[in-house]
Amino acid sequence: MAQQAYMTETDNGGSGHEPRGHRLRRLFDRLLGGRLGDRRIWRRGVLLATCAVLLAVVMVLHSRIPNTIGNLGSLIETFLPWLGLLVPVLLLLAVVRKSATALIAVLLPALVWLNLFGGQLTDKTATGGDLTVATHNVNADNPDPAGTARDVAASGADVLALEELTASAVPTYERALDSTYPYHSVQGTVGVWSKYPLTGVRAVDIDLGWTRAMRATVTAPAGQVAVYVAHLPSVRVKMEAGFTARQRDRSADFLGEAIAHEPLKNVVLLGDLNGTMNDRALNAVTSQMRSTQGAAGNGFGFSWPASFPMARIDQIMVRGLKPESSWTLPQTGSDHLPIAARVSVTTGG
C-alpha cells in the first residue's frame, strides 16, 4: 500500500519533469490569481492587448512611419529604445486587469524590442586596437572650457574632435590641449586635435552657409585615416510644427555625399549629428558607415542630455576601420557627454 501511494504521488512521468506548456499555464494562473479557468479573463483586457499589438507594430514598422507631418517618424526613431519602457507598464496593467489575452499580447512587443535592441544589452568590447578617437560637443556656453579640454585629453585619445567651438573659446582650448596634441586645425565651429601629423585639411560644405564640418588626413603609425568632424544643425520639437529637422536632413545628405567620395579606405566620422543611428533621415551617412557603439560598445551609449542621457546623438562611425571598443566619457561642463572608441587601422588604406 505504501508503495502504491508513492507511485501515485510521483506519477505524470516519474522523473519530475513537467511539459513546458504546463509550466507556462501554471505561471499565467499564478499571475491571474488562480483564475485561468474563468472565461472572463480571456474577454477582459482587449484594449490593453490592442495597445500591446500597436506598440509592436510601431517598433517593427518605425521606418514606414511618414515624416510628412512634423517629421513624426524621425522623432519616434530618435527615442525608439525608450518604447521598451511601455512593455512592463502594459504587463503590470494586464496582471491588475487579470487578463490572459493582454498578458499574451504583451509578449509581442517584448520580443520585438529584444530583437531590435537585445544586442545592445551585451558587452561587445574587446582588447586591442591601434588608434583611440574621441569627440565632444563642448557647448558654446560652457562655463569651463579649460577644464573640459583637460577632461577629454585625459581620455587618452590620439585624435580628438570638438564641436560648437566659439571664436572666443578657441584660444583656451588650444592652450589646454597643445601640450598633448602637437597638431590641430579649427575650421569654423569644429576642430580636430591629433598626436599625429595632419594633412589634407579642408572645410566640408554641408549646405549651411558657414563651416560646421571638416576633413583631415591623420598619418598614424598604423596608416593613414581620413577624419571627418561634423556638427549637423540642431532639431527642435515644436507644438505647432512637430520635429523640425529639415535643415539637419539636408546637411546629412551633403555630408554623406562627401564621405562617399573619400578616396582613403580608412574613414572615421566624429561629431554631433543631432540624430541617432535609427533615424532614417541620416541614411546618407549611416548606410555607408558602422557605429562603433553598436559594433563594439556596452549598452546604448546615450550622450544627450548630459544630466540624464536619453539619446545617442553624438556619433563615432567608421568605414574600413575595425571597431574594438566604444564607451562614454564622464560629464564635463557641456550639455553633451564626450564619447570615445578604440579602432584597428586596416592595411591598404
Side-chain angles (χ1 to χ4, degrees):
M1 183 67 69
Q3 182 179 7
Q4 183 177 0
Y6 172 78
M7 293 181 65
T8 301
E9 291 172 359
T10 59
D11 203 9
N12 192 24
S15 64
H17 293 293
E18 184 179 10
R20 180 174 300 177
H22 290 184
R23 294 198 300 271
L24 187 60
R25 180 182 176 87
R26 190 174 358 161
L27 174 61
F28 272 88
D29 200 33
R30 288 174 182 169
L31 291 173
L32 297 170
R35 300 185 182 185
L36 202 56
D38 184 355
R39 292 185 178 182
R40 289 175 297 178
I41 67 172
W42 298 99
R43 294 195 292 266
R44 287 194 297 262
V46 174
L47 180 59
L48 282 174
T50 302
C51 291
V53 173
L54 287 176
L55 176 60
V57 170
V58 167
M59 288 192 287
V60 170
L61 301 179
H62 63 86
S63 62
R64 303 293 183 89
I65 300 173
N67 265 337
T68 51
I69 301 177
N71 281 309
L72 180 61
S74 286
L75 176 60
I76 290 175
E77 287 171 333
T78 298
F79 300 102
L80 192 61
W82 292 94
L83 292 183
L85 291 180
L86 296 176
V87 173
V89 174
L90 290 172
L91 177 62
L92 178 61
L93 292 175
V95 172
V96 172
R97 192 74 177 87
K98 293 183 171 59
S99 168
T101 301
L103 275 174
I104 293 174
V106 170
L107 291 176
L108 186 58
L111 292 174
V112 171
W113 190 92
L114 286 172
N115 180 63
L116 289 173
F117 302 110
Q120 298 291 92
L121 303 179
T122 60
D123 186 354
K124 299 177 289 297
T125 59
T127 57
D130 40 42
L131 187 69
T132 300
V133 296
T135 181
H136 189 26
N137 178 327
V138 296
N139 188 3
D141 298 321
N142 192 320
D144 183 19
T148 295
R150 288 192 296 269
D151 289 342
V152 290
S155 68
D158 301 308
V159 178
L160 171 64
L162 300 181
E163 304 87 48
E164 209 165 297
L165 295 168
T166 63
S168 60
V170 166
T172 302
Y173 285 106
E174 289 176 333
R175 286 193 297 269
L177 295 172
D178 277 354
S179 61
T180 305
Y181 301 98
Y183 309 96
H184 86 277
S185 175
V186 175
Q187 303 287 320
T189 62
V190 298
V192 60
W193 277 258
S194 174
K195 294 179 180 179
Y196 309 119
L198 297 175
T199 56
V201 178
R202 59 177 173 82
V204 174
D205 178 19
I206 55 174
D207 193 39
L208 285 177
W210 69 97
T211 302
R212 285 178 45 155
M214 65 175 292
R215 181 256 183 225
T217 297
V218 173
T219 303
Q224 289 190 325
V225 178
V227 175
Y228 283 78
V229 183
H231 182 195
L232 296 188
S234 300
V235 296
R236 297 287 186 268
V237 180
K238 300 179 180 179
M239 293 299 294
E240 72 278 8
F243 193 59
T244 58
R246 186 173 302 172
Q247 183 60 63
R248 182 212 55 182
D249 300 348
R250 187 160 55 246
S251 292
D253 291 340
F254 273 73
L255 178 61
E257 184 176 357
I259 293 172
H261 288 92
E262 172 57 50
L264 289 182
K265 175 184 178 182
N266 295 306
V267 184
V268 59
L269 170 61
L270 307 165
D272 173 8
L273 303 190
N274 273 304
T276 68
M277 293 296 293
N278 295 315
D279 192 339
R280 91 288 295 273
L282 302 184
N283 279 351
V285 176
T286 58
S287 63
Q288 55 181 319
M289 307 192 83
R290 300 173 67 193
S291 163
T292 58
Q293 185 67 25
N298 181 13
F300 291 96
F302 295 146
S303 63
W304 178 89
S307 57
F308 187 81
M310 297 183 64
R312 186 179 175 89
I313 62 175
D314 301 276
Q315 304 290 350
I316 299 177
M317 300 184 203
V318 296
R319 188 181 75 194
L321 301 162
K322 180 185 176 184
E324 302 290 358
S325 56
S326 185
W327 64 96
T328 302
L329 296 168
Q331 185 175 357
T332 68
S334 172
D335 57 341
H336 291 245
L337 294 178
I339 59 175
R342 183 84 173 156
V343 299
S344 292
V345 179
T346 57
T347 57

